[in-house]
Amino acid sequence: MRKLDPAARLPSLSVVIPFLNEREVLPLCLARLRQVLDGLGLPYQIVFVDDGSRDGSAEYLQGLLSTEPCLKLVRLARNFGKEAAMTAGIAHAEGDAVILLDADLQDPPELIPDMVRAWQAGADVVCMRRRSRAGESWAKRASAYAFYRLLNRLSRAAIPADTGDFRLMSRRAVRALLKLPERCRYMKGLYAWVGMPTRIIDYDRAARAAGTTKWNYFALFRLAMEGITSFSTAPLRWATGMGAIAALLGGLFGAGIIAKTLMYGGDVAGYPSLMATITFMGGVQLLTIGLLGEYVGKTYLEAKQRPVYLVRDVRSSRATALHDPLSSSPFDACHLAPHHAFDR
Ligand code: UDP
Ligand code: MG
């Protein structure tokens, strides 16, 4: 067997794209990606992760596997959510650098060469920061602005504002990320926790090329709560603080009433203030119990130790650019993995 000269090997790229019902935009996404990646001259692979699509997206990609090179299709057993789908994609990516991209072309693939240059200049993580957000409502922009700032004040690992999942990670960073075992995966927080030498590149976020957003405000609120409760216990401290203040005010109020009764005699007035206090305290108590529940629930989910996602099958193109022609394929194991294989 011929020996490989490691210096002669070109660094390879994996582009990971999680998708849910993106049939409309996938052909466009693939065409634009190809144009950029072919121009780079590096071996690459595109890992599509089907997060339980029901609109024929996965079947469309599966049909391309026999003709299109360098594709890998990881199908999850159902919809596990974008965070889990990205984790699955990253775990199945084999390149020296992994780039995360949305299928809807909101993250322009044309920026990949800049990201690769920054990586080759020594950055382990190349983080893309949105300078502007086209096609997003005023309310979404305002809530995103407020959320990132709040999260950053709360959590210890600095989560750069206005950066999303669009990023490049070196193999070293990917290895570190995959070591984090939590089930409740708030990816933006996990990236920040991993840290490593990071370059930030500003870009203008495009509008969706086709199809509709998969997030409604309820889902975004859930993600925001996930982010805060996964990376900070400050709300628990707030609850303690709020309780202390309420107890103090209640005590002062009670002392005032005793003094007043001693001086002027008792009467039965005060029903409205009593009601106000009871409802206010009831509200505060329910809120803090709910908050506590968030953390207890998180512990419960982690304790069950269920896998983050379940893979239905993994298929690759016959011709894989990452496939090293000089050695026997190190990636055979990834071809047609057994059905219902448990991952991680
Ligand atoms: N997505 C996914 N699983 C989900 C929801 C979304 O894989 O449960 C994918 C979606 O197909 C897209 C990316 O995540 O490629 C971003 O979703 P979307 O564009 O709907 O979110 P937005 O950009 O509006 O925040
Ligand atoms: Mg989008």
Side-chain angles (χ1 to χ4, degrees):
M1 206 170 119
R2 281 168 65 191
K3 261 199 153 168
L4 277 176
D5 173 9
R9 198 176 75 88
L10 283 170
S12 56
L13 294 181
S14 291
V15 178
V16 170
I17 305 180
F19 67 91
L20 169 67
N21 301 335
E22 302 281 9
R23 175 67 186 84
E24 248 179 287
V25 80
L26 278 178
L28 199 62
C29 171
L30 196 57
R32 265 176 67 182
L33 251 183
R34 281 259 191 253
Q35 199 168 22
V36 172
L37 293 174
D38 287 339
L40 267 178
L42 296 177
Y44 69 85
Q45 155 196 63
I46 306 173
V47 182
F48 280 105
V49 184
D50 170 29
D51 190 16
S53 298
R54 288 156 184 264
D55 67 342
S57 307
E59 289 71 18
Y60 164 75
L61 286 175
Q62 209 162 314
L64 295 180
L65 291 178
S66 52
T67 51
E68 294 262 349
C70 339
L71 291 187
K72 188 166 183 176
L73 176 61
V74 179
R75 293 175 72 183
L76 302 188
R78 61 171 169 82
N79 177 250
F80 281 89
K82 186 183 176 194
E83 315 290 299
M86 285 191 292
T87 307
I90 294 169
H92 284 84
E94 295 137 319
D96 297 315
V98 175
I99 296 172
L100 280 170
L101 215 63
D102 279 1
D104 60 3
L105 292 169
Q106 281 196 283
D107 309 328
E110 289 71 22
L111 294 171
I112 290 177
D114 289 342
M115 301 167 83
V116 171
R117 264 193 293 279
W119 167 53
Q120 289 181 325
D124 274 280
V125 178
V126 185
C127 205
M128 306 303 282
R129 184 165 57 194
R130 299 157 189 173
R131 205 183 297 138
S132 66
R133 296 158 158 254
E136 289 185 8
S137 68
W138 176 87
K140 185 160 178 182
R141 282 183 222 194
S143 53
Y145 179 89
F147 169 68
Y148 281 121
R149 268 130 202 105
L150 174 69
L151 186 58
N152 246 320
R153 294 201 63 159
L154 294 184
S155 80
R156 220 175 249 207
I159 300 173
D162 299 318
T163 59
D165 298 310
F166 186 22
R167 62 186 56 235
L168 176 149
M169 285 176 284
S170 66
R171 182 48 48 196
R172 199 158 68 124
V174 166
R175 224 178 287 131
L177 189 65
L178 290 175
K179 269 199 202 128
L180 303 185
E182 48 249 85
R183 270 77 196 155
C184 304
R185 295 188 86 75
Y186 181 71
M187 294 296 275
K188 291 187 225 348
L190 298 185
Y191 306 134
W193 190 89
V194 165
M196 299 222 178
T198 304
R199 255 292 301 279
I200 294 181
I201 298 180
D202 287 303
Y203 77 106
D204 297 304
R205 189 155 169 84
R208 224 173 203 286
T212 51
T213 175
K214 307 295 173 294
W215 300 91
N216 51 32
Y217 277 102
F218 188 64
L220 279 175
F221 179 74
R222 247 190 0 225
L223 188 70
M225 275 308 277
E226 178 87 36
I228 291 174
T229 52
S230 290
F231 280 87
S232 167
T233 46
L236 291 178
R237 270 195 307 276
W238 292 348
T240 318
M242 216 153 39
I245 291 171
L248 190 71
L249 288 179
L252 287 177
F253 189 52
I257 288 176
I258 290 173
K260 196 175 143 207
T261 315
L262 287 179
M263 279 190 274
Y264 306 108
D267 53 29
V268 284
Y271 175 72
S273 58
L274 202 63
M275 264 327 269
T277 318
I278 290 175
T279 19
F280 175 71
M281 282 317 297
V284 170
Q285 278 167 2
L286 281 182
L287 190 88
T288 42
I289 291 173
L291 199 61
L292 258 176
E294 283 283 332
Y295 288 96
V296 175
K298 204 139 271 175
T299 317
Y300 168 65
L301 287 177
E302 297 292 345
K304 281 197 285 196
Q305 303 246 0
R306 288 197 184 147
V308 176
Y309 56 86
L310 222 51
V311 173
R312 181 167 150 192
D313 54 20
V314 182
R315 288 162 205 254
S316 301
S317 301
R318 288 226 179 83
T320 305
L322 274 186
H323 185 127
D324 197 322
L326 294 181
S327 62
S328 65
S329 169
F331 307 129
D332 275 349
C334 303
H335 285 251
L336 289 172
H339 278 257
H340 310 294
F342 277 86
D343 251 86
R344 279 161 43 79

